Amino acid sequence: MRIEAIGCEPLQLARMHLENSASLEVYRQHGGYQALEKVLTSMSPDDVINEVKKSALRGRGGAGFPTGMKWSFVPKDSPKPKYVVCNADESEPGTFKDRYLMERDPHTLIEGMLIAAYALGAKTNYIYTRGEYKYLIDIMDRALAEARAAGLLGDNILKSNFSSEIHTHSGAGAYICGEETALLSSLEGMRGHPRMKPPFPAVSGLYSAPTVVNNVETLTAVPDIIKMGGEAYQKLGTEKSGGTKLWSVSGHVNRPGVYELPMGYDDMEKFIMEDCGGMKEGRQLKAVIPGGSSVYIMRADQIIGKDVRMDYEGLVAAGSMVGSGGFIVMDETVDIFESTKNLTEFYKHESCGWCTPCREGTDWLVKVFKRIASGNGRPGDAQLMLDLCDNIEGKSFCPLGDAAAWPIQSAIQRFPEDFKRRLISGNGSNGDRVVS
Amino acid sequence: MSAELIKVIINNKDFQVAKGARLIDVCREKGFDIPSFCYYADLALQASCRMCLVRIEKMPKLQTSCTIICTDGMVVTTQSEEVEKAQRGMMEFLLANHPLDCPVCDRGGECELQEMAFSWGNLEERFTEQKNYRPEKYLSPMVANDPQRCILCKRCTRVCDEWMGEDAIEAGGRGAGTVIGTYGGWLDCSQCGNCIEVCPTGTLLDATYRHQARPWELAQTISTCTFCSDGCQMSLGARGGDLLRIVARDRYVNGLNGEFLCIKGRFGHPFVNHADRIRTPLIRYQKGGRLIPATWDDAIQHVARNLDAIVDANGPNSLAIVGSPRLTNEALFALRKFATELVGTENYTATDAFSLRPFFENLGAPLATHNDIRHAATILLLGGEPEELQPLTGKQVRQAVRNSGAKLIVVNSVPIRLVEQSSQFIHINEGSLDAAVFALHSPGSPQGAMEKMGVEAKEFAALQETLTNTQGDIVIMFSAELSPAAQTILAQLPFGLSGSGRVLLHPLPLYNNSIGAHDMGMMKGAMSAAQMLAATGETIRAMYVAGSFLGTQLENNPDALAKLDFLVVQELFETATTEHADVVFPAASFAEVDGTFTNNDGFVQRVRQSIAPVHSSRPDWIITAQLANELGVDFGFDLSASAVFREIAATIPAYADLRYPLLKDESHPVQVKHTQAAQRDLSTELEQLKQLVSELPAEAGKQTVTPDVGHELFKPGTLTGRVPQFPLLAGGNPRPETLRISPLYQITKAIADFQLPGAD
Amino acid sequence: MPLVTIQPLSQPVNISGEAATFSAEVEAEIDAHLAKYPVMRSAILPLMFIVQRERGGYLDPPGVAYLARRLALRITDIWEVATFYSMINTEPVGRYHIQICKTLSCKIMGEPKITEHVCKRLGIKPGETTADGRFTVSLVECLGSCGTAPMFQIGFDYHEDLSTAKVDQILDSLP
Ligand SMILES: Cc1cc2nc3c(=O)[nH]c(=O)nc-3n(C[C@H](O)[C@H](O)[C@H](O)COP(=O)(O)O)c2cc1C
Ligand code: SF4
Ligand code: FES
């Protein structure tokens, strides 16, 4: 497991390899909490928001929404309390960057959250961590206690008149709780069902008060932005998406791990074949899912020799998405029918059951996959699955429905051979039954 | 309600619609069919079934029309290939795991899912996989459950929470494994059955009607509930001579209660066809003898002869006439007429727990309708427990608070469940409600009142402040347990209150026709039922009792009836009253008669005959008219309820401009015009009240525990006691060993086994 | 004839009957969680983990009753939440809950071998518990160790870069 920066000075990963990097002491030795100090002594909340706007930082949770803009949506005049909630639910298959940020550098997250809290006037803030990451919650609690003891958290932070508290909160095994509104329902002690948007959390979120939900990596980027200034940060990346991005790489590469690349790093082929040490045992690259499981799967020939630029626009142009930046690299031994079945089972298991298309659609699709796998595929099945996906995509209550449809649609279109084989050789009844 | 209009374009047609209108409603209003399941106007938005998708220009995806508020110039497409594919797609998903068992489903024929399937389903079924199996079971003696049929629209969980405030049924599990249910699988609640009502599928079912009939075999008759004074409109489903079920489903009936009913209204009806109903007239030829079946003619003649003799010998006042607030206006009117015009006795009454006469005689404001309550700004509840005794009122109050942010102030000696919803709870001592009225009328703590109530003066100050600062309507509700003086002062309260909106009054009497009994003049007699019983054997020699078993009054004075020379009783069942009766007439129940009830909104609503009178029973007013006939007076009712009502309208001012045929539309109930009293000097009443307050015990104390759900609703009465489920619930709603077999069957079987030893 | 009288078959399911009780330390831990939120209900998941830990790995009826009382909720509210989250057990589980990640990255990096090995060794299938109640094996979705696949979690402890040898060594080392 590698953790390293490529093509840029390590920013997010700067302190990863330090001895006992999680401690306040080490963090302060390496410039920790200077950004917070700067903010508290010399910047107004609006200055902070403007800096973040200038940095062209885009949400790292998956949606890629401009963070500065999101912050500016929070109504200043609202009499209600405001909340900053850190989304540390990291449940997207193939994604494990937030985990290491919290494990090895918890204070950066705390500093980032406090800066956000200052910018938005939030007195109480929560870190919603997936329940399985119990050990990370313990690490965060320790770090928070340290910070509190050092006057960096709680009342009159750094002797300023700014007071703000951060609490950890544990989820309990539900991917959907990564979706920001479901996360808020869960944080309120409800079933993790998403909520209607609008109203957006920035206006009516936690306890129907203005709330900003940000991913861990988004918040840990904030201190650097303040330190180096928004423009400098933006320049590390592209005009539309500034700074650096963490990519979690797993699968059949020689050096899986968490890599920090400048936004717009080119190209994807070099990244996989060189930076990540190339394919295991010299086997052929077959497919890559570049943004966590919830994006279009890519064929090797969409990557090899195509200089795919690694940023939001670049990956869309190449036929996929950045998503959460979770690379799942697959070699020739992988049957894309099987891999797609595996992901569909994931989405069925994680569908919250609120809306019809996602609940029934994923259930149905899994049943079809299983039938085909058991050798009873029918020629019409590929078409059927595509049509079911079409009935889910864009019709579900929250984006999980789309996330379930995209992998299947792209897999059937881009790897038809892996499906056809099953459907023709299927020994099951051929053709769909017609009931009338 | 701003009537400002905006323009929306639906399927290329322009429409002017009210600002703030909801798209799905607008589309339907304008005649464009939009399928939906989870959308329910009176419940929180859900947007989960995704059936109502439409295309709106400038919006990236299809939108759920149930969540969209129309904006000016909005361009909507509800009919296009894209939209139809989406809607059919959702339908296909919903049907995927839904069993194809409509032929054995109680809902078959009146199922929303089935109807939608007809218009939005596909001929070709593409789902050929295993359906997820979930076994049928019972959730309670009233509610059967077939989870596999559920489409998770969650209407049930929302009515349970938002209407009933009980939150007893919820969604558990996740994804395709989500089920509607409860912890332990057993439903501990007031058993209102509204979850059954709103379920668009056959998932939640009326266990008492299970597998009894197909909807299309039932003759549906719209009528008015015979239990409490809310007067819910309901549909009686009968086959042949049997009343099989009652629903409020708005495809059948659309009254003030919408689809709401309580346990009594929905499940209390089996007394109608009960084996214990009295079958023929009965005559007891000599005191102490047995009641012997007789023909109607003999019985009527026998009664006429005896009453005649007694009145001749002792004067008209020796005959007391007692009606029941359960009877129709027509029956009560006939009794009143019989008493005052034919016999000429001053001793007549209806055995209500309380007389509202002083209230109505001093009425200072109109009665609040249930709709007024739903939209009131402030609700003041003096005594009573609507959630148990007038459940629809309870629901309206709850929703007024929860959905419309009304302020609720509860003044009660018991922390009733509604206190949860209240913004202020004034916890007064047992029996000091009179003092509360006093305090309301004269702010600035009247002598001793606060002490007697065991509250602080500032609590009432706060109450007064809320009332004066109210923006909108104020509704004052009160249980009838007030002294006449207090009733008078309360009726005049509105004159003292100057809010921004109206001040409305809402009495909470106990019976379905308490108000009618008052209106028909039955409360104007010289004596109350209790006084009559005290005078039996002396001034009162004979009694004519219709539909009333004189409940508590009789318990306090058990052998009163034995002292009578002659007792005539009209009843459904043999009761404490019939024990001493010389003649018993079998009366027809509400399901067997035509007529009207007047509810606590002052609405006069039709009661319609659903089945022919069982056995040889007859409607009460006909019996009275025939008796009059025998005594030589023709009441001229020509045996039609509308004729009786014509005379009611002719003789009772408040009913002057009502016409029986015009009362036919339950969705537009007609309110009687109770004469409004002018503001008057209340010094005498205040004196009386001061007296009463001074007589109150100093340390009455207050109940501190909130009463259990159903403690009143489940109480087995003469009617509901005949329905085995009620005693079962009153006995603590025990959870049977298995939930797969009808709990009632298991219980009754248990009784049978239990009784076997005693058999020989 | 008298009104129908009913002999209750069994006591009504009064779940809020006997509620579990906990030591002062645990109560303090619970108070600490409650103190984090303006709304008590928010603490429902943290409290469920504690109750589950203290009540032998799952929410038994007394545990559920305790939660309802402590959070002033209806028993149904506890049920609806508990059944939504896959980490909250409403049924007993083994002392060691082995959760093997079966999602794509782990799947292609050798999860099937690991699962087969664990199951053979313990003589149970995924979803089952050993007769002695020591082990439960479940296949779970992505646990965020894709870069160190294959992996499983025993209770809350991560075990990554697994090989059959490593699995044996881990299971042997369990007390
Ligand atoms: C089904 C689903 C799962 C998600 N899971 C996560 C997650 O695990 N972590 C996360 O940070 N964002 C997740 N998101 C994105 C969040 O909804 C939200 O966009 C993000 O937390 C906002 O923070 P950001 O602007 O910093 O990215 C998910 C979204 C969806 C629709
Ligand atoms: S039980 Fe009926 S009403 Fe309740 S959610 Fe299911 S289908 Fe809807
Ligand atoms: S009616 Fe609109 S989503 Fe169900």
Side-chain angles (χ1 to χ4, degrees):
Chain A
M1 246 284 308
R2 289 301 185 91
I3 299 185
E4 67 182 67
I6 288 163
C8 64
E9 280 305 303
L11 212 57
Q12 298 262 16
L13 301 183
R15 288 162 299 275
M16 286 281 152
H17 299 290
L18 298 172
E19 184 68 16
N20 143 29
S21 59
S23 70
L24 178 58
E25 191 192 357
V26 174
Y27 185 55
R28 292 202 104 164
Q29 285 161 4
H30 295 77
Y33 289 105
Q34 283 169 5
L36 179 61
E37 197 150 8
K38 177 175 172 195
V39 164
L40 292 181
T41 49
S42 63
M43 292 175 80
S44 75
D46 285 336
D47 297 342
V48 176
I49 294 179
N50 288 332
E51 237 15 77
V52 174
K53 276 189 176 160
K54 282 197 224 128
S55 74
L57 172 65
R58 292 171 65 168
R60 307 287 195 232
F65 190 85
T67 305
M69 199 189 297
K70 185 188 268 188
W71 290 9
S72 61
F73 290 156
V74 172
K76 296 256 169 320
D77 44 16
S78 160
K80 295 191 178 145
K82 304 178 185 55
Y83 298 98
V84 171
V85 176
C86 171
N87 187 338
D89 191 62
E90 192 165 62
S91 313
E92 182 75 22
T95 314
F96 46 92
K97 60 195 175 64
D98 298 347
R99 179 182 165 190
Y100 292 99
L101 287 173
M102 293 164 80
E103 179 183 309
R104 306 201 182 177
D105 200 2
H107 283 285
T108 311
L109 177 56
I110 297 173
E111 187 175 10
M113 279 185 82
L114 286 173
I115 294 169
Y118 174 79
L120 302 161
K123 298 265 158 296
T124 316
N125 316 286
Y126 297 96
I127 304 174
Y128 186 106
T129 311
R130 66 180 297 183
E132 294 87 346
Y133 282 173
K134 174 81 166 55
Y135 83 103
L136 288 181
I137 299 177
D138 299 341
I139 291 174
M140 285 312 304
D141 280 333
R142 254 179 269 121
L144 287 166
E146 269 185 308
R148 216 173 274 117
L152 293 160
L153 182 62
D155 293 339
N156 305 87
I157 294 170
L158 293 165
K159 309 209 171 46
S160 72
N161 51 15
F162 171 64
S163 304
S164 197
E165 209 12 288
I166 300 177
H167 301 293
T168 55
H169 180 90
S170 166
Y175 167 68
I176 186 61
C177 291
E179 196 285 328
E180 54 188 353
T181 58
L183 181 148
L184 295 174
S185 305
S186 178
L187 187 45
E188 288 176 8
M190 310 290 175
R191 291 161 62 80
H193 289 305
R195 302 176 183 171
M196 235 169 282
K197 292 194 239 178
F200 289 89
V203 177
S204 170
L206 187 59
Y207 312 121
S208 44
T211 307
V212 160
V213 180
N214 273 129
N215 170 254
V216 175
E217 186 188 343
T218 313
L219 289 164
T220 50
V222 172
D224 290 318
I225 292 172
I226 297 299
K227 271 188 264 175
M228 69 173 63
E231 259 140 53
Y233 182 87
Q234 178 271 319
K235 292 212 160 38
L236 294 174
T238 70
E239 187 195 332
K240 284 216 192 60
S241 39
T244 60
K245 163 106 193 76
L246 297 184
W247 302 85
S248 325
V249 182
S250 62
H252 296 131
V253 289
N254 284 316
R255 289 201 296 268
V258 177
Y259 294 88
E260 179 169 21
L261 309 184
M263 271 291 180
Y265 178 87
D266 48 19
D267 71 69
M268 189 164 162
E269 177 181 4
K270 174 172 174 299
F271 178 56
I272 297 170
M273 292 308 180
E274 295 169 27
D275 307 333
C276 298
M279 301 303 291
K280 270 202 157 47
E281 295 155 29
R283 284 199 295 266
Q284 284 297 316
L285 174 68
K286 178 170 183 178
V288 176
I289 307 178
S293 62
S294 304
V295 301
Y296 292 149
I297 185 172
M298 299 171 79
R299 289 180 72 98
D301 58 26
Q302 291 177 290
I303 301 163
I304 309 294
K306 292 284 192 303
D307 331 335
V308 176
R309 219 174 73 243
M310 290 172 65
D311 59 21
Y312 294 92
E313 300 73 20
L315 276 167
V316 169
S320 191
M321 281 174 256
V322 166
S324 65
F327 266 58
I328 305 175
V329 182
M330 292 171 267
D331 68 21
E332 57 203 316
T333 63
V334 176
D335 176 343
I336 299 304
F337 169 86
E338 285 296 343
S339 69
T340 315
K341 170 167 175 287
N342 178 280
L343 290 179
T344 310
E345 283 164 356
F346 168 82
Y347 289 108
K348 181 206 160 163
H349 184 262
E350 299 302 337
S351 168
C352 82
W354 182 262
C355 74
T356 306
C358 175
R359 180 184 71 240
E360 302 296 332
T362 52
D363 181 57
W364 187 345
L365 284 161
V366 165
K367 285 171 176 170
V368 175
F369 269 110
K370 286 196 165 140
R371 175 168 50 76
I372 298 174
S374 70
N376 295 309
R378 304 172 193 148
D381 283 337
Q383 199 45 49
L384 172 65
M385 288 197 276
L386 284 174
D387 192 62
L388 294 181
C389 289
D390 181 58
N391 286 347
I392 299 172
E393 188 190 5
K395 323 233 175 359
S396 55
F397 187 91
C398 85
L400 190 143
D402 307 338
W406 292 334
I408 303 176
Q409 292 168 328
S410 50
I412 293 179
Q413 279 151 5
R414 294 175 184 177
F415 298 88
E417 58 283 358
D418 286 17
F419 285 79
K420 277 214 196 68
R421 200 174 341 111
R422 309 265 185 163
L423 303 186
I424 305 307
S425 70
N427 56 8
S429 68
N430 277 3
D432 294 352
R433 194 172 91 239
V434 175
V435 182
S436 55
Chain B
M1 278 294 283
S2 66
E4 189 186 333
L5 292 181
I6 56 172
K7 186 176 106 180
V8 294
I9 301 154
I10 306 174
N11 302 335
N12 308 321
K13 292 196 203 63
D14 294 13
F15 296 101
Q16 295 294 320
V17 305
K19 195 157 185 283
R22 195 165 287 286
L23 182 54
I24 192 171
D25 298 336
V26 169
C27 292
R28 287 171 172 176
E29 216 169 280
K30 305 304 178 193
F32 302 109
D33 219 357
I34 306 270
S36 83
F37 289 109
C38 68
Y39 177 61
Y40 194 97
D42 201 17
L43 294 174
L45 277 178
Q46 174 100 352
S48 65
C49 76
R50 316 306 286 181
M51 285 296 295
C52 66
L53 292 167
V54 298
R55 167 60 67 188
I56 300 175
E57 269 184 27
K58 301 206 202 64
M59 296 205 187
K61 309 171 178 178
L62 295 176
Q63 298 292 319
T64 49
S65 53
C66 67
T67 60
I68 300 287
I69 299 295
C70 294
T71 54
D72 197 18
M74 186 179 263
V75 182
V76 184
T77 313
T78 74
Q79 292 158 351
S80 70
E81 232 175 65
E82 173 198 41
V83 171
E84 181 171 344
K85 176 174 190 298
Q87 292 171 339
R88 288 188 178 278
M90 296 310 123
M91 195 66 221
E92 185 179 35
F93 281 142
L94 287 173
L95 292 175
N97 280 302
H98 190 86
L100 287 168
D101 62 354
C102 304
V104 295
C105 175
D106 280 346
R107 265 303 148 73
E110 54 180 11
C111 169
E112 287 179 43
L113 185 64
Q114 204 176 31
E115 283 159 16
M116 294 281 181
F118 278 117
S119 15
W120 306 98
N122 304 332
L123 273 185
E124 177 198 348
E125 192 204 22
R126 298 191 297 174
F127 183 89
T128 56
E129 322 298 330
Q130 265 282 326
K131 289 180 190 274
N132 303 336
Y133 168 71
R134 295 200 183 99
E136 298 179 26
K137 57 189 191 310
Y138 285 83
L139 292 176
S140 84
M142 305 306 198
V143 186
N145 176 215
D146 189 338
Q148 196 172 344
R149 296 180 184 149
C150 181
I151 59 171
L152 291 168
C153 67
K154 298 219 185 100
R155 289 188 201 171
C156 49
T157 65
R158 285 178 287 162
V159 287
C160 193
D161 182 15
E162 296 175 38
W163 289 7
M164 309 309 295
E166 296 184 24
D167 210 352
I169 187 164
E170 264 303 352
R174 182 167 94 194
T178 313
V179 288
I180 298 297
T182 72
Y183 184 83
W186 195 237
L187 194 49
D188 252 329
C189 65
S190 72
Q191 312 288 332
C192 64
N194 287 318
C195 49
I196 300 171
E197 192 81 80
V198 297
C199 180
T201 71
T203 304
L204 295 170
L205 298 165
D206 178 341
T208 69
Y209 157 80
R210 198 145 194 219
H211 301 319
Q212 294 215 11
R214 312 313 317 268
W216 55 86
E217 301 174 327
L218 299 176
Q220 305 282 354
T221 310
I222 296 172
S223 191
T224 305
C225 182
T226 189
F227 286 101
C228 86
S229 58
D230 278 332
C232 288
Q233 296 300 289
M234 47 175 47
S235 167
L236 280 53
R239 185 180 52 194
D242 298 325
L243 178 59
L244 292 181
R245 71 158 193 195
I246 287 180
V247 298
R249 207 161 296 132
D250 61 11
R251 75 189 60 201
Y252 302 121
V253 44
N254 189 1
L256 56 91
N257 51 308
E259 295 196 314
F260 172 95
L261 286 178
C262 76
I263 179 175
K264 289 184 171 177
R266 187 183 312 280
F267 300 111
H269 58 80
F271 73 85
V272 169
N273 293 100
H274 196 280
D276 297 354
R277 282 287 295 274
I278 300 169
R279 287 154 194 266
T280 68
L282 305 165
I283 302 178
R284 196 189 310 270
Y285 287 97
Q286 76 268 31
K287 292 274 171 201
R290 291 192 303 107
L291 282 168
I292 295 164
T295 67
W296 273 100
D297 291 352
D298 292 352
I300 295 224
Q301 281 156 15
H302 187 75
V303 171
R305 226 178 298 115
N306 282 277
L307 293 188
D308 219 8
I310 291 170
V311 170
D312 278 349
N314 312 287
N317 287 344
S318 63
L319 171 57
I321 315 280
V322 180
S324 154
R326 285 215 185 287
L327 302 182
T328 59
N329 286 323
E330 290 66 20
L332 290 160
F333 180 79
L335 282 172
R336 220 287 314 289
K337 186 169 167 136
F338 187 90
T340 55
E341 294 176 22
L342 189 151
V343 181
T345 175
E346 294 162 358
N347 300 328
Y348 55 91
T349 188
T351 56
D352 205 337
F354 312 93
S355 165
L356 285 168
R357 193 175 164 189
F359 170 75
F360 278 110
E361 285 174 352
N362 297 281
L363 195 57
L367 297 187
T369 68
H370 283 90
N371 194 38
D372 295 331
I373 298 170
R374 175 71 176 74
H375 298 105
T378 301
I379 299 169
L380 173 57
L381 176 57
L382 298 167
E385 192 176 6
E387 60 270 64
E388 292 279 322
L389 298 167
Q390 296 85 7
L392 176 61
T393 301
K395 175 229 175 203
Q396 297 299 77
V397 172
R398 202 174 285 109
Q399 282 198 293
V401 175
R402 288 188 52 150
N403 305 25
S404 313
K407 272 200 164 55
L408 170 66
I409 305 171
V410 177
V411 180
N412 204 319
S413 62
V414 181
I416 57 173
R417 294 206 306 285
L418 271 178
V419 168
E420 249 182 48
Q421 250 76 41
S422 69
S423 58
Q424 192 190 356
F425 174 37
I426 303 186
H427 200 174
I428 60 172
N429 283 333
E430 220 81 52
S432 60
L433 203 57
D434 278 2
V437 174
F438 195 152
L440 265 171
H441 177 275
S442 3
S445 162
Q447 311 74 333
M450 298 301 165
E451 292 69 15
K452 292 297 173 73
M453 286 188 281
V455 301
E456 312 247 330
K458 63 174 189 294
E459 299 184 51
F460 272 87
L463 187 164
Q464 291 288 359
E465 190 172 339
T466 317
L467 291 181
T468 34
N469 298 342
T470 298
Q471 296 300 318
D473 294 351
I474 298 175
V475 174
I476 302 176
M477 301 186 189
F478 64 100
S479 77
E481 67 191 75
L482 289 171
S483 71
Q487 274 194 36
T488 309
I489 291 168
L490 185 125
Q492 293 267 310
L493 268 185
F495 294 116
L497 295 167
S498 55
S500 70
R502 302 171 299 169
V503 179
L504 301 163
L505 297 166
H506 190 74
L508 297 171
L510 294 178
Y511 300 102
N512 51 306
N513 205 23
S514 295
I515 307 278
H518 168 274
D519 293 349
M520 296 302 117
M522 278 304 276
M523 309 313 280
K524 290 209 173 72
M527 284 187 179
S528 75
Q531 290 165 325
M532 289 176 183
L533 291 177
T536 53
E538 287 109 50
T539 54
I540 306 283
R541 320 284 330 169
M543 261 195 188
Y544 174 18
V545 180
S548 168
F549 65 109
L550 300 164
T552 49
Q553 295 98 331
L554 206 49
E555 283 158 24
N556 306 338
N557 191 346
D559 47 5
L561 296 177
K563 302 198 199 118
L564 287 167
D565 300 351
F566 198 74
L567 172 61
V568 189
V569 177
Q570 284 167 208
E571 255 299 3
L572 303 176
F573 298 101
E574 299 192 355
T575 65
T577 326
T578 56
E579 272 173 41
H580 302 280
D582 297 275
V583 174
V584 177
F585 294 126
S589 78
F590 85 113
E592 302 146 57
V593 303
D594 284 314
T596 57
F597 291 151
T598 307
N599 81 338
N600 52 22
D601 300 352
F603 287 149
V604 184
Q605 307 189 103
R606 287 277 286 275
V607 178
R608 290 189 181 79
Q609 181 178 37
S610 158
I611 58 173
V614 300
H615 310 307
S616 66
S617 62
R618 292 179 182 176
D620 290 272
W621 62 269
I622 291 184
I623 302 174
T624 309
Q626 287 175 329
L627 198 51
N629 237 332
E630 193 62 28
L631 289 163
V633 181
D634 177 3
F635 273 6
F637 289 167
D638 61 39
L639 297 189
S640 95
S642 66
V644 186
F645 195 84
R646 203 178 306 125
E647 190 168 337
I648 293 176
T651 51
I652 296 175
Y655 289 62
D657 41 22
L658 301 185
R659 297 289 171 269
Y660 194 76
L662 301 186
L663 302 175
K664 65 177 182 308
D665 177 5
E666 82 280 0
S667 54
H668 296 93
V670 186
Q671 199 175 22
V672 299
K673 299 202 170 32
H674 288 109
T675 31
Q676 302 284 305
Q679 181 164 20
R680 53 170 273 250
D681 162 53
L682 297 167
S683 42
T684 43
E685 282 77 8
L686 284 168
E687 269 317 307
Q688 293 167 359
L689 211 47
K690 199 174 289 175
Q691 188 53 30
L692 285 170
V693 172
S694 66
E695 287 160 9
L696 286 174
E699 269 322 317
K702 356 185 150 180
Q703 180 174 328
T704 52
V705 282
T706 301
D708 297 347
V709 174
H711 69 101
E712 284 292 340
L713 288 166
F714 301 161
K715 247 186 208 155
T718 1
L719 304 183
T720 56
R722 298 282 188 315
V723 187
Q725 284 88 350
F726 280 74
L728 176 55
L729 293 167
N733 188 14
R735 183 191 198 280
E737 263 82 53
T738 167
L739 297 176
R740 299 296 303 281
I741 306 166
S742 156
L744 188 63
Y745 171 81
Q746 297 180 56
I747 300 288
T748 39
K749 196 168 154 305
I751 295 171
D753 304 349
F754 172 80
Q755 284 169 346
L756 268 178
D760 44 274
Chain C
M1 142 176 169
L3 303 182
V4 187
T5 50
I6 301 292
Q7 313 289 331
L9 280 178
S10 56
Q11 285 313 301
V13 272
N14 181 7
I15 307 121
S16 35
E18 19 71 78
T21 55
F22 299 115
S23 67
E25 301 76 65
V26 175
E27 283 294 337
E29 193 183 352
I30 287 171
D31 290 329
H33 279 294
L34 286 167
K36 292 181 183 176
Y37 313 94
V39 176
M40 264 207 296
R41 183 171 179 151
S42 282
I44 195 167
L45 289 179
L47 264 57
M48 278 177 173
F49 277 118
I50 294 175
V51 171
Q52 174 163 298
R53 183 190 72 207
E54 299 293 318
R55 305 290 302 180
Y58 77 111
L59 297 184
D60 57 349
V64 172
Y66 173 88
L67 286 166
R69 292 246 181 100
R70 197 72 155 81
L71 296 165
L73 293 172
R74 271 181 144 279
I75 218 81
T76 330
D77 298 324
I78 308 297
W79 174 78
E80 62 167 340
V81 173
T83 52
F84 184 89
Y85 295 93
S86 57
M87 290 179 74
I88 305 298
N89 306 319
T90 48
E91 300 296 324
V93 292
R95 170 150 168 239
Y96 298 108
H97 190 184
I98 305 177
Q99 296 135 295
I100 308 173
C101 174
K102 64 169 273 287
T103 315
L104 190 51
S105 298
C106 285
K107 171 77 91 206
I108 62 178
M109 297 305 287
E111 169 271 323
K113 261 203 219 61
I114 300 299
T115 306
E116 189 195 355
H117 185 71
V118 171
C119 289
K120 190 168 313 116
R121 190 184 147 121
L122 299 176
I124 52 174
K125 289 203 246 18
E128 293 177 350
T129 304
T130 53
D132 61 5
R134 243 172 94 78
F135 295 97
T136 301
V137 175
S138 332
L139 296 180
V140 299
E141 299 296 349
C142 183
L143 289 172
S145 300
C146 323
T148 47
M151 65 80 64
F152 61 47
Q153 208 181 7
I154 299 183
F156 283 117
D157 303 334
Y158 275 76
H159 301 276
E160 311 176 63
D161 288 315
L162 292 175
S163 62
T164 53
K166 194 167 171 192
V167 169
D168 288 331
Q169 174 201 334
I170 292 165
L171 295 187
D172 292 335
S173 68
L174 289 174

